[in-house]
Amino acid sequence: MHRFRRPLTSLCALLALTPLLTGCFVSGGAEAGSSGRLRVALAVPPAQALSPLGNDATVLGKLSVAEGLTALDATGAAVPALASSWTRKDDTTWAFELRKATFHDGTEVTADAVVAALGHAAAAKVKPRVLSDVTLTARAEDADTVTITTSTPDPVLPLRLASPALGVLAAKAYAPDGTVSPVGTGTGPFKITKLNGKSTATLDRFDGYWGGRAALAGIDVTWIADGTSRANALRSGEADVAEWIPTSQAKLLADGTRHDVPSVRTDSLVLNTADGIFADPSLRASARAAVDGSAVVGPVFGGFADPARGLFGPAVGWAAANRVAVTGRAQALPVADVQARTQGRTLRLAAYTNRAELPEAATVLQQQLEKAGFTVQQDVREYTQMEPDLLAGKYDALVFSRVTLLDTGDAVAFLASDFAGTGVYNIARLHDGQVDQAIAAAAQESDTARRQQKIMRAEAEILRTDAVVPLVHEKVVQGISTRVEGVVLDPRERSLITVGTRLK
């Protein structure tokens, strides 16, 4: 039996910068097509050797390497994955029946293997965000049945278990030192056979996949953090799929290769509420009043974004109809008062290079904040280089891009991980009792319509604190060669290559 305990504050995030080198893909153009291998350029190099317990987990989902008990369909509903069915026994107890499936190393997927995998997630030094607001107990009833009990009612547990961070790997994936390797240990239609640090990975088709034989013989992955280089890889024919094309490059792609979709990704200015300048609510209010996200929609995002109306944008279909007016905010200060309160202090504004638009947006925000009376100094680096300083409270603000429905497809998990006092992704370092109560109320609601209403009340409470200033709701631009079919355009950015993806 494994008990999942509520974690304390911690953080894991987004990563590095690798230049594109000609010929860096394993296969060349004609050879790749004739061999049935797909060449994919991804944006964020792995931080933890593709461990599922951090942000690398999304890569395992995008490449169809690992699976959880459940998955999400196009509507965001939970559907069977390694669990063929499930039943809610009472408010806090669920039973999951496993399908017959095999790990990439040839061992069978059993209830004991599932319980062990969930236990490793709970015991991780940095716990997955999806576990930030819940305590779970997993138990093997027999070889094919897992019972999961929650300490409080969790109406969306099947959604939670679809998180990439709760993917189930074979026993040999989990090392005694806490590291986790998906190389040859997943269950999906593609098996990782080689991982070369943060540069490349080789995936081969796994013919023992329970869901049928993949159309592709394999996938050759190269990580290219620079967005222009990713676009160039697609244009030159070195890549068949290039994710996250920068908006500055999107309109330069050939007809039929640019595909954009409204995303659940929101870019925001996150303020450090615990230390420094923005521990003062009036200065947070002044920053919020100074910042205008609409100013970056055209010049920075090239129109591939919408001005933010809150934490959730148009890709979250129910958000606008349930949005609640924000009341009780602190009042912004006149410029002279901002200057007086911040005299001798510099606002440390961070942005990271992995998404090309963020440093450009930071420059616009710097101008807006300086006009309001702040003295601003930017620090623009790879995310991994600045993360320790973010955790230590050495920045006052971060220009941040966040997929709000990434972890579970349920917005409560995002709110709890990012803004609850115990949230594991609480970059704002926010501790507010009213926020915590509003998030808890939404988490306990089982009726879908009422849950959505309570989520938006929680959004209003968060915005009241000015811990976060939403800027824009992005549209994701993916570059896909015209010789490729079946690439998934996912607003949640969890899926990309599937069992049905193929080369023409």
Side-chain angles (χ1 to χ4, degrees):
M1 181 181 296
H2 293 273
R3 185 170 300 278
F4 293 56
R5 301 189 180 278
R6 185 185 301 272
L8 300 176
T9 304
S10 55
L11 181 64
C12 48
L14 304 171
L15 309 314
L17 184 66
T18 305
L20 174 66
L21 301 177
T22 302
C24 61
F25 283 88
V26 175
S27 301
E31 182 184 349
S34 61
S35 67
R37 299 190 64 84
L38 187 75
R39 299 158 307 165
V40 177
L42 298 182
V44 182
Q48 298 171 309
L50 293 184
S51 166
L53 302 183
N55 274 8
D56 291 357
T58 59
V59 176
L60 303 181
K62 286 179 180 180
L63 300 177
S64 293
V65 170
E67 303 166 295
L69 290 178
T70 61
L72 300 181
D73 67 10
T75 70
V79 294
L82 292 180
S84 58
S85 64
W86 54 89
T87 305
R88 191 175 190 181
K89 300 295 187 180
D90 56 43
D91 284 351
T92 59
T93 307
W94 302 69
F96 293 82
E97 296 297 325
L98 304 182
R99 69 171 73 253
K100 297 297 182 183
T102 304
F103 291 111
H104 293 159
D105 66 353
T107 60
E108 296 299 313
V109 176
T110 64
D112 285 337
V114 171
V115 171
L118 295 178
H120 285 295
K125 184 177 180 180
V126 178
K127 293 198 170 47
R129 294 186 300 258
V130 71
L131 298 181
S132 64
D133 62 330
V134 70
T135 301
L136 304 179
T137 301
R139 183 176 67 250
E141 298 294 344
D142 55 43
D144 301 317
T145 307
V146 177
T147 296
I148 298 179
T149 304
T150 58
S151 56
T152 57
D154 185 21
V156 295
L157 181 64
L159 294 177
R160 190 183 301 279
L161 294 172
S163 169
L166 299 183
V168 177
L169 301 181
K172 76 173 188 180
Y174 304 96
D177 63 0
T179 59
V180 186
S181 173
V183 177
T185 60
T187 60
F190 296 103
K191 172 183 177 178
I192 301 176
T193 56
K194 189 173 183 180
L195 176 63
N196 297 312
K198 298 183 178 183
S199 57
T200 64
T202 302
L203 285 67
D204 292 334
R205 180 170 53 216
F206 176 54
D207 288 333
Y209 180 52
W210 61 264
R213 191 171 185 266
L216 295 168
I219 306 171
D220 299 313
V221 178
T222 296
W223 280 278
I224 306 171
D226 180 69
T228 299
S229 295
R230 284 197 307 280
N232 286 339
L234 184 73
R235 283 193 288 260
S236 68
E238 290 226 2
D240 302 306
V241 177
E243 72 166 352
W244 294 355
I245 299 297
T247 55
S248 62
Q249 296 291 313
K251 294 181 180 178
L252 303 179
L253 295 183
D255 290 346
T257 64
R258 183 185 72 231
H259 302 265
D260 62 87
V261 60
S263 170
V264 296
R265 180 180 293 276
T266 296
D267 294 358
S268 302
L269 180 67
V270 180
L271 307 182
N272 178 357
T273 65
D275 297 300
I277 288 173
F278 292 126
D280 184 336
S282 296
L283 291 176
R284 295 202 300 271
S286 299
R288 179 251 306 160
V291 167
D292 178 11
S294 64
V296 302
V297 170
V300 175
F301 287 89
F304 291 99
D306 297 303
R309 298 290 178 257
L311 297 174
F312 305 103
V316 184
W318 46 265
N322 290 293
R323 183 150 279 129
V324 176
V326 180
T327 59
R329 277 173 161 163
Q331 294 296 310
L333 301 172
V335 173
D337 289 349
V338 171
Q339 292 171 332
R341 291 201 188 188
T342 60
Q343 186 174 12
R345 293 192 289 171
T346 298
L347 192 168
R348 297 151 298 181
L349 176 63
Y352 50 90
T353 56
N354 303 83
R355 298 190 70 84
E357 295 82 9
L358 299 187
E360 295 182 52
T363 297
V364 175
L365 298 184
Q366 178 175 352
Q367 295 169 353
Q368 294 175 344
L369 290 165
E370 289 177 340
K371 187 175 180 180
F374 295 95
T375 300
V376 181
Q377 179 179 344
Q378 284 191 51
D379 189 352
V380 179
R381 289 184 281 161
E382 300 173 15
Y383 192 94
T384 48
Q385 293 177 351
M386 63 176 56
E387 182 180 80
D389 289 340
L390 281 170
L391 289 168
K394 294 183 180 180
Y395 291 106
D396 297 296
L398 170 68
V399 185
F400 191 50
S401 184
R402 180 73 159 96
V403 179
T404 59
L405 301 186
L406 175 65
D407 299 313
T408 66
D410 175 62
V412 173
F414 155 63
L415 299 180
S417 67
D418 286 36
F419 301 107
T422 56
V424 298
Y425 212 49
N426 189 352
I427 295 174
R429 307 175 78 194
L430 180 64
H431 293 269
D432 185 284
Q434 291 174 251
V435 168
D436 289 349
Q437 290 174 13
I439 293 172
Q444 294 163 12
E445 181 59 64
S446 58
D447 178 81
T448 300
R450 290 196 294 268
R451 188 179 183 88
Q452 292 169 351
Q453 292 168 357
K454 291 181 178 181
I455 287 169
M456 298 312 292
R457 290 173 195 162
E459 179 199 64
E461 289 291 349
I462 293 164
L463 295 178
R464 168 188 56 79
T465 70
D466 290 322
V468 58
V469 183
L471 302 172
V472 299
H473 305 299
E474 287 195 39
K475 297 177 182 177
V476 176
V477 182
Q478 308 286 40
I480 305 170
S481 167
T482 54
R483 70 192 192 96
V484 181
E485 290 183 335
V487 174
V488 177
L489 299 175
D490 182 9
R492 292 183 295 272
E493 301 184 41
R494 293 174 58 149
S495 299
L496 188 67
I497 310 303
T498 72
V499 66
T501 305
R502 71 180 189 90
L503 293 164
K504 297 178 183 178

